[in-house]
Amino acid sequence: MRKLSVFLALVCAFVGGAVPAATPAAAVGARAQAAPSFNGTVWAIAFRGDVVYVGGSFTAVTYRGRSFERRRLAALDARTGAVLRWQPAADGTVRALAVAGPAVYAAGDFDSISGQSRDAVARIDASTGRPTRFAHRVTGEVATLAVGNGRVYVGGSFSTVDGVTRRNVAAFSHSSGALDRSWRPSTGGRVRSLAVTRSRIYLGGEFHQVNGSRAADRLAAVHPANGSLVRGFRPHAPANVMDVAADARGVYTATGGPGGRAVGYSSSGGIRWTHLFDGDVHTIAVMGGIAYVGGHFDRACRRTSTVRQLGCLGGYTARVKLAALDGRGRLTGWNPRANGTIGTHVLTTYPPRHRIAAGGAFTRIGGAGRERFALFN
């Protein structure tokens, strides 16, 4: 739990009034359905119809008393929770997953998939689990990936891909698998998250410049075809951006720092709303106008300060590791209540089935055993 600040002057820095009484609960239920348990942290989740792919640092998955060996990658039936036969084996932690047609893309700390050399990024057959002919050499770490516009975009902390200079971001052709030589943005620090739209690729992380421009600090948008900086998007991120999401309404970020924040931005980068928590917000996902957030917070603050702040000096509502905010950034009634010190690392939505999945280091949701993975619908 973060301690309250002793600087009473902060009390005078609040903007706006107290958050109104909770708005109607988000449409997704707060009770997690029965699902397998994982023996290690879940870092990544991706949906493909009624199949949900899971990545992390686990080595076994347990369902209805039966244990299945799964080396950092697994697939589940989203309707029943059953563990599927899909079982590629990664030799290091899987930190990101994305699905495109018959392919599952994975990124992380691995050097091989099912015994085949794959350096930090891989493409795996969504049905058989076999790695496909998509192999690259990365100097550094890949922490995030996203698919769109015929490309696979990756981000992290690296300097070259296949011997070609790429500063923390790169793209590959989805059809051929080759490094995209025309997409060449660069950042001055680690990229933690990517969000893809038809006209922009949003980057979030710990960088303080993009393509040499210091106007792009922690959050930026670049062109999907050539990586040029979108200068019409000029946000002000209050702290390191840990996750970024986008929909037709705008852009959303999860941030750390003194008191974690979920922030909604317009397409030009103006702040639409900010909601403060008493701990880092690790992840954010949007569905149906609702922003779902996860992290290691225990409280959603009733007031948001314009300055650095520890704790909820203006009062709070209990929200342990999971919460949801409406289109104006107000707390909804969605309150699953995860546990643990670290809490939730990843949230992934699947609008066609109105599902949301959570992963992390928690072991219980709403008092019921849900070890490191939970599914809501």
Side-chain angles (χ1 to χ4, degrees):
M1 184 76 65
R2 294 183 178 273
K3 297 179 179 179
L4 296 179
S5 172
V6 297
F7 297 103
L8 297 180
L10 294 181
V11 177
C12 298
F14 293 120
V15 293
V19 174
T23 55
V28 172
R31 184 175 179 178
Q33 70 181 59
S37 61
F38 292 76
N39 72 342
T41 300
V42 169
W43 290 97
I45 299 169
F47 285 96
R48 182 176 183 256
D50 287 324
V51 178
V52 55
Y53 298 93
V54 183
S57 57
F58 54 85
T59 56
V61 183
T62 301
Y63 181 66
R64 294 183 176 177
R66 183 181 175 188
S67 181
F68 301 83
E69 181 180 353
R70 294 292 185 270
R71 296 286 176 177
R72 304 169 188 89
L73 286 162
L76 316 175
D77 186 318
R79 298 164 300 179
T80 66
V83 180
L84 302 180
R85 296 180 64 181
W86 193 82
Q87 50 183 314
D91 69 344
T93 298
V94 173
R95 300 193 179 275
L97 291 171
V99 171
V104 178
Y105 290 95
D109 305 337
F110 51 83
D111 295 310
S112 70
I113 301 289
S114 299
Q116 297 188 36
S117 178
R118 294 293 186 273
D119 186 5
V121 62
R123 183 167 62 197
I124 303 164
D125 188 283
S127 299
T128 66
R130 298 190 186 96
T132 69
R133 296 178 63 184
F134 180 90
H136 298 277
R137 294 175 289 109
V138 180
T139 305
E141 300 176 351
V142 179
T144 183
L145 59 79
V147 179
N149 307 304
R151 296 172 175 83
V152 183
Y153 301 94
V154 299
S157 180
F158 51 84
S159 57
T160 69
V161 176
D162 297 336
V164 179
T165 298
R166 287 294 184 271
R167 300 294 184 187
N168 308 312
V169 280
F172 307 96
S173 166
H174 172 56
S175 58
S176 71
L179 177 68
D180 188 332
R181 303 284 176 139
S182 63
W183 199 76
R184 302 188 303 274
S186 65
T187 73
R190 181 182 178 88
V191 174
R192 283 183 169 269
S193 183
L194 300 167
V196 175
T197 71
R198 290 183 179 180
S199 60
R200 296 177 176 182
I201 310 301
Y202 292 100
L203 317 176
E206 301 164 14
F207 52 84
H208 298 292
Q209 59 89 3
V210 175
N211 297 349
S213 173
R214 294 192 176 277
D217 189 10
R218 303 188 182 106
L219 177 64
V222 298
H223 193 278
N226 59 28
S228 61
L229 187 65
V230 177
R231 298 190 179 275
F233 181 69
R234 298 179 64 88
H236 174 70
N240 288 340
V241 173
M242 306 181 81
D243 197 13
V244 60
D247 68 1
R249 297 169 179 85
V251 186
Y252 308 79
T253 63
T255 72
R261 284 170 166 81
V263 185
Y265 296 91
S266 69
S267 59
S268 64
I271 293 178
R272 295 158 49 213
W273 52 260
T274 301
H275 203 108
L276 180 70
F277 295 82
D278 71 334
D280 289 349
V281 181
H282 292 154
T283 180
I284 190 164
V286 184
M287 182 168 64
I290 301 294
Y292 296 88
V293 298
H296 72 240
F297 53 82
D298 294 322
R299 299 170 175 176
C301 301
R302 291 181 180 159
R303 296 178 186 266
T304 297
S305 171
T306 58
V307 297
R308 295 169 68 87
Q309 175 184 336
L310 294 175
C312 298
L313 300 184
Y316 66 88
T317 301
R319 286 293 185 272
V320 186
K321 311 305 187 287
L322 289 164
L325 308 170
D326 71 8
R328 295 173 61 187
R330 300 173 301 183
L331 196 67
T332 74
W334 194 68
N335 187 20
R337 294 181 293 116
N339 72 336
T341 302
I342 298 174
T344 307
H345 285 304
V346 58
L347 290 168
T348 301
T349 59
Y350 187 59
R353 299 284 196 275
H354 210 71
R355 292 177 177 139
I356 183 167
F362 54 81
T363 57
R364 303 185 74 80
I365 298 282
R370 296 289 184 269
E371 295 190 31
R372 303 172 185 88
F373 175 84
L375 186 62
F376 307 90
N377 56 22

